[in-house]
């Protein structure tokens, strides 16, 4: 039986609308901070931990904003909108840069599957559920009659 991996990410939104992002040390891509959920950890707690580990910023989780499945690798990502409540921005072994980006910079700097997570978190509508292949979104087929 194939196994799924669960990851969590925090889209941290400041009062001025800028969003916290990291440049990953392993591949140089810009993404919202996040990582693999521990076996004994609640998803919200994992998002708080990952943001703090990767950026030095302490956050409070507001709500789930999306569920994203990488169909190629079997990774399900739970993304939470968060607000900063303390800490100081710093890099880590996992990040070579930590920046507060505008939504326009998110669209320009991040790959499609990460930018959509951030933009979905900025959207006030219900949580989004999306599938992707690791690089691009996979459109869902219309229901069969």
């Amino acid at each position: 039986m194939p196994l799924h991996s669960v990851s969590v990410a925090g889209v941290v939104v400041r009062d001025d609308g800028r969003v916290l992002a990291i440049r990953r040390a392993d591949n140089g891509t810009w993404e919202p901070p996040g990582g693999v959920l521990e076996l004994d950890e609640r998803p919200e707690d994992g998002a708080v931990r990952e943001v703090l580990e990767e950026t030095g910023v302490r956050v409070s989780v507001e709500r789930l904003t999306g569920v994203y499945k990488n169909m190629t690798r079997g990774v399900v990502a739970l993304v939470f909108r968060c607000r900063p409540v303390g800490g100081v921005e710093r890099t880590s072994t996992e990040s070579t840069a930590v920046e507060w980006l505008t939504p326009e910079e998110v669209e320009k700097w991040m790959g499609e599957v990460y930018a959509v997570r951030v933009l979905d978190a900025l959207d006030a509508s219900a949580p989004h559920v999306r599938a992707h292949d690791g690089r691009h979104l996979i459109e869902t087929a219309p229901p069969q009659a």
Side-chain angles (χ1 to χ4, degrees), residues 21 26 29 32-33 42 47 55-56 61 63 68 71 74 79-80 88 92 96 125 128 139:
D26 60 354
T29 61
R42 291 178 49 237
T55 71
V61 171
R63 62 187 173 92
Y68 306 84
M71 302 298 285
V79 179
F80 296 90
V88 177
S92 70
T96 59
S125 64
H128 297 267
E139 294 303 319

Side-chain angles (χ1 to χ4, degrees), residues 34-85:
V36 176
L37 185 65
E38 302 290 340
L39 204 54
D40 62 348
E41 191 172 43
R42 291 178 49 237
E44 299 92 326
D45 296 338
V48 169
R49 176 184 54 78
E50 285 288 346
V51 172
L52 181 61
E53 285 177 3
E54 294 182 2
T55 71
V57 176
R58 295 185 184 283
V59 299
S60 171
V61 171
E62 293 181 336
R63 62 187 173 92
L64 176 73
T65 57
V67 178
Y68 306 84
K69 181 170 181 189
N70 181 326
M71 302 298 285
T72 307
R73 297 183 52 222
V75 177
V76 177
L78 307 175
V79 179
F80 296 90
R81 181 175 171 138
C82 304
R83 60 185 166 78
V85 295

Side-chain angles (χ1 to χ4, degrees), residues 140-145:
T140 56
Q144 299 297 312

Side-chain angles (χ1 to χ4, degrees), residues 72-128:
T72 307
R73 297 183 52 222
V75 177
V76 177
L78 307 175
V79 179
F80 296 90
R81 181 175 171 138
C82 304
R83 60 185 166 78
V85 295
V88 177
E89 297 89 347
R90 58 146 177 80
T91 57
S92 70
T93 56
E94 298 177 65
S95 59
T96 59
V98 175
E99 298 285 343
W100 291 95
L101 305 181
T102 65
E104 296 75 26
E105 288 168 334
V106 165
E107 287 190 80
K108 192 184 312 181
W109 295 9
M110 288 187 186
E112 178 182 16
V113 299
Y114 294 101
V116 74
R117 297 173 195 201
V118 173
L119 299 175
D120 283 353
L122 297 175
D123 180 1
S125 64
H128 297 267

